[in-house]
């Protein structure tokens, strides 16, 4: 019986991107005896031997400007400039739908460059982030070169759409796309429909399967691009050694946070999908339930940019502590310093921050979306509510606020336990191994 020995992971972003998601995949497999190579776009400093870069480096002008701004620490100036003249997205955006793949047959990096960088045989290919690098046209050529099953482990909706990243309220992906609101299209035979059917044809020529959590898989089934027996449940992997519970009091003291405060952590971003305005409404409603003294004890801890602070009233009774863009070490400390992680994403496969928070033992209050369906158990690892139900979400924040010390310890302990069950490296490896045993001998349609 053939064994799984050599795996190629393909992602446009390096292994350390998104708090080390790619590296966690590498570690989860390699710690169980599998040789893993990682194919990405650009070479980077201290790149290990098992990482294959297609191009030597980012364009010189981008690297030079990035390093100069970093050296001069002009983050504050950049934020002011972006507010005066916001950065224009390189993608097509209409009706809150972002088209990151306008031409399925013309990926961002020429197919030959990607395929020529692969010079070994592999038993399995796992794709992660496609953005700015590949499409199914690339995958088809890779499959024909190495004839290995491909698992699409996607953090977004791209593999099931005619080019959009997330489809918001659009259901055209269930009908082969066309009339695409992301393209402001009023015709059926538009480029989204063309992309959709190129994908459909390409998938038919490969041994390819889709991996997603419960929320993702309910959508991919409706797209009709993957047969039901090629859709597998696989959840995100989080390094349980790095993301772990720490002493909350010590971390708060180190970060200069109130030792006895009620700390709510959130990600600050203007991205509409991430729901910062909803979170402000939730916090305002929650605070109104408190006494004057209790209100001043509430602290909002943000990571990311300063958007959340910018939409809050100066007269707010709660304090806001912005950590800014953080590295993994500080991110883990932020989770541990907090009483809960608040998430109001309205269109999201994850977000992975929910899983990271739970792995650190910090419960989550979220909308019923994405990974929440798998890892949030009411009263045990947090609470969820229907999308846009800010009243229930505020009540759920208050429920965690009212927990006694023993109850708080119990919910933190169970949060960690459920994360280990669903998101540990061992759980990910076992999932990949089981899927491999099913797909390894399947021929393309």
């Amino acid at each position: 019986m053939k064994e799984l020995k050599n795996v190629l992971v393909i992602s446009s972003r390096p292994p350390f991107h998104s708090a080390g998601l790619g590296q966690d995949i590498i570690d989860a497999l390699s710690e169980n005896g599998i040789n893993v190579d990682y194919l990405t776009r650009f070479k980077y400093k201290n790149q290990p031997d098992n990482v294959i870069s297609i191009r030597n480096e980012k364009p010189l002008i981008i690297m030079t400007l990035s390093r100069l701004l970093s050296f001069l620490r002009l983050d504050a100036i950049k934020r002011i400039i972006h507010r005066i003249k916001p950065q224009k997205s390189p993608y097509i955006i209409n009706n809150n739908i972002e088209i990151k793949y306008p031409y399925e047959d013309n990926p961002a990096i020429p197919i030959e460059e990607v395929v020529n960088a692969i010079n070994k045989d592999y038993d399995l290919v796992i794709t992660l982030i496609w953005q700015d690098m590949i499409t199914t046209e690339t995958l088809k050529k890779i499959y024909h070169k190495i004839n290995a099953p491909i698992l699409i482990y996607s953090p977004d909706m791209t593999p099931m759409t005619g080019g959009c990243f997330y489809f918001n309220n659009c259901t055209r992906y269930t009908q082969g796309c066309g009339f695409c609101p992301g393209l402001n299209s009023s015709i059926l035979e538009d480029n989204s429909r063309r992309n959709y059917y190129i994908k459909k044809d390409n998938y038919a020529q490969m041994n390819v399967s889709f991996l997603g959590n419960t929320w993702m898989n309910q959508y991919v089934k409706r797209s009709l691009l993957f047969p039901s027996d090629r859709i597998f449940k696989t959840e995100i992997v989080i390094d349980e050694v790095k993301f772990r519970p720490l002493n909350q009091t010590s971390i708060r003291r180190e970060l200069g946070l109130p030792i006895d405060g009620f700390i709510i952590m959130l990600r600050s971003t203007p991205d509409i999908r991430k729901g910062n305005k909803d979170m402000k409404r939730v916090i305002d409603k929650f605070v109104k339930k408190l006494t004057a003294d209790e209100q001043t004890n509430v602290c909002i801890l943000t990571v990311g940019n300063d958007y959340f602070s910018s939409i809050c009233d100066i007269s707010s009774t709660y304090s806001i502590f912005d950590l800014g863009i953080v590295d993994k070490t500080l991110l883990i400390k932020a989770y541990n310093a907090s009483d809960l992680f608040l998430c109001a994403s309205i269109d999201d496969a994850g977000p992975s921050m929910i899983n990271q928070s739970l792995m650190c033992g910090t419960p989550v209050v979220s909308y019923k979306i994405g990974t929440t369906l798998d890892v949030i158990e009411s009263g045990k690892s947090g609470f969820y509510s229907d999308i846009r139900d800010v009243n229930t979400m505020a009540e759920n924040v208050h429920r965690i606020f009212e927990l006694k010390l023993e109850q708080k310890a119990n919910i933190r302990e169970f949060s960690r336990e459920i994360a280990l069950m669903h998101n540990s490296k061992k759980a990910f490896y076992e999932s990949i191994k089981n899927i491999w045993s099913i797909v390894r001998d399947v021929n393309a349609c």
Side-chain angles (χ1 to χ4, degrees):
M1 183 179 291
K2 188 175 181 181
E3 294 183 4
L4 181 58
K5 294 182 179 179
N6 300 296
V7 171
L8 175 66
V9 178
I10 301 176
S11 180
S12 63
R13 300 321 192 238
F16 52 80
H17 178 77
S18 188
L21 176 57
Q23 189 61 53
D24 290 343
I25 293 174
I26 295 171
D27 294 343
L29 299 176
S30 61
E31 289 174 8
N32 285 279
I34 297 174
N35 301 313
V36 184
D37 287 335
Y38 190 99
L39 179 65
T40 192
R41 290 185 302 168
F42 300 120
K43 189 173 183 178
Y44 57 90
K45 188 177 180 180
N46 300 322
Q47 179 175 306
D49 293 339
N50 69 323
V51 176
I52 306 164
S53 52
I54 297 171
R55 295 179 175 176
N56 286 333
E57 59 185 7
K58 294 181 181 179
L60 182 60
I61 187 170
I62 294 177
M63 293 183 67
T64 302
L65 287 173
S66 177
R67 289 170 180 170
L68 179 62
L69 289 172
S70 176
F71 175 74
L72 296 175
R73 301 187 67 80
L74 296 179
D75 289 347
I77 296 176
K78 285 195 295 181
R79 287 197 293 269
I80 294 171
I81 292 173
H82 291 167
R83 285 188 181 180
I84 297 172
K85 186 178 180 180
Q87 283 186 312
K88 185 177 180 181
S89 171
Y91 312 111
I92 300 169
I93 303 177
N94 292 295
N95 302 303
N96 293 329
I97 295 176
E98 197 167 20
I99 306 292
K100 295 193 175 184
Y101 306 80
Y103 302 101
E104 187 67 19
D105 56 353
N106 186 23
I109 293 185
I111 295 171
E112 294 73 19
E113 282 191 57
V114 180
V115 175
N116 290 341
I118 303 172
N119 296 304
K120 290 170 60 176
D121 291 329
Y122 296 95
D123 303 312
L124 180 67
V125 175
I126 301 174
T127 73
L128 186 55
I129 301 172
W130 295 9
Q131 183 181 330
D132 308 319
M133 181 175 171
I134 65 172
T135 67
T136 59
E137 285 283 297
T138 317
L139 295 183
K140 180 176 68 175
K141 292 295 179 65
I142 292 172
Y143 178 77
H144 288 162
K145 179 174 183 176
I146 64 178
N147 195 34
I150 296 175
L151 304 183
I152 297 174
Y153 178 62
S154 179
D156 55 68
M157 301 304 204
T158 300
M160 67 183 85
T161 73
C164 66
F165 193 54
Y166 282 90
F167 35 70
N168 201 355
N169 295 320
C170 177
T171 59
R172 292 298 308 166
Y173 73 99
T174 67
Q175 303 166 63
C177 289
F179 300 114
C180 176
L183 295 174
N184 261 341
S185 169
S186 59
I187 61 173
L188 176 63
E189 299 299 331
D190 61 18
N191 216 50
S192 70
R193 191 168 181 84
R194 179 174 177 272
N195 289 340
Y196 180 95
Y197 280 99
I198 290 174
K199 268 190 178 124
K200 187 177 180 68
D201 183 60
N202 287 340
Y203 286 147
Q205 298 180 53
M206 296 182 275
N207 178 352
V208 61
S209 301
F210 184 89
L211 314 185
N213 58 26
T214 298
W215 188 81
M216 284 282 280
N217 288 350
Q218 69 183 1
Y219 289 104
V220 75
K221 288 175 183 176
R222 299 173 193 167
S223 75
L224 305 181
L225 287 174
F226 296 86
S228 58
D229 62 348
R230 308 313 300 276
I231 301 172
F232 299 94
K233 183 180 177 184
T234 301
E235 298 177 56
I236 193 170
V237 56
I238 305 293
D239 188 335
E240 67 271 24
V241 176
K242 295 176 181 176
F243 286 87
R244 67 188 191 279
L246 302 171
N247 184 278
Q248 188 176 80
T249 300
S250 298
I251 296 298
R252 288 185 175 189
R253 185 174 290 113
E254 178 185 339
L255 298 180
L257 296 168
I259 302 300
D260 298 321
F262 182 72
I263 299 179
I264 301 172
M265 178 184 169
L266 58 85
R267 180 194 172 190
S268 174
T269 172
D271 187 340
I272 294 174
R273 288 191 307 110
K274 300 296 183 179
N276 270 224
K277 289 184 178 179
D278 275 14
M279 287 192 285
K280 178 187 180 301
R281 292 171 62 200
V282 167
I283 292 169
D284 288 344
K285 288 178 179 294
F286 157 67
V287 169
K288 285 182 179 179
K289 297 175 179 289
L290 308 180
T291 66
D293 288 341
E294 289 173 335
Q295 289 179 9
T296 59
N297 212 31
V298 174
C299 175
I300 312 303
L301 180 64
T302 76
V303 295
N305 55 32
D306 63 351
Y307 177 75
F308 185 82
S309 296
S310 73
I311 63 174
C312 289
D313 302 326
I314 298 177
S315 59
S316 297
T317 54
Y318 50 84
S319 60
I320 301 176
F321 192 99
D322 293 324
L323 286 179
I325 305 298
V326 298
D327 59 16
K328 184 187 295 186
T329 300
L330 186 51
L331 178 64
I332 292 168
K333 290 179 180 179
Y335 288 128
N336 274 279
S338 305
D339 290 286
L340 67 90
F341 177 71
L342 183 63
C343 174
S345 288
I346 58 172
D347 195 11
D348 208 317
S352 59
M353 293 185 77
I354 287 177
N355 308 95
Q356 293 168 355
S357 180
L358 295 177
M359 194 65 83
C360 292
T362 300
V364 173
V365 172
S366 173
Y367 285 146
K368 189 178 180 180
I369 195 171
T371 188
T372 302
L373 274 64
D374 294 311
V375 298
I376 301 301
E377 293 190 25
S378 183
K380 293 185 176 181
S381 55
F383 300 93
Y384 59 70
S385 57
D386 292 335
I387 294 175
R388 300 294 193 190
D389 185 355
V390 294
N391 290 323
T392 300
M393 184 176 268
E395 291 172 5
N396 288 337
V397 171
H398 192 257
R399 291 165 81 176
I400 292 183
F401 175 80
E402 290 187 313
L403 292 177
K404 306 301 182 185
L405 284 177
E406 183 177 353
Q407 293 172 317
K408 180 179 177 180
N410 289 339
I411 199 170
R412 296 186 76 87
E413 182 178 352
F414 189 83
S415 294
R416 170 72 174 181
E417 287 178 2
I418 199 167
L420 288 172
M421 185 188 312
H422 288 266
N423 307 118
S424 67
K425 289 183 286 185
K426 186 67 173 177
F428 179 80
Y429 164 72
E430 291 293 341
S431 179
I432 296 299
K433 183 179 70 171
N434 291 337
I435 294 168
W436 159 251
S437 70
I438 296 171
V439 305
R440 62 188 171 193
D441 298 321
V442 174
N443 294 318
C445 300

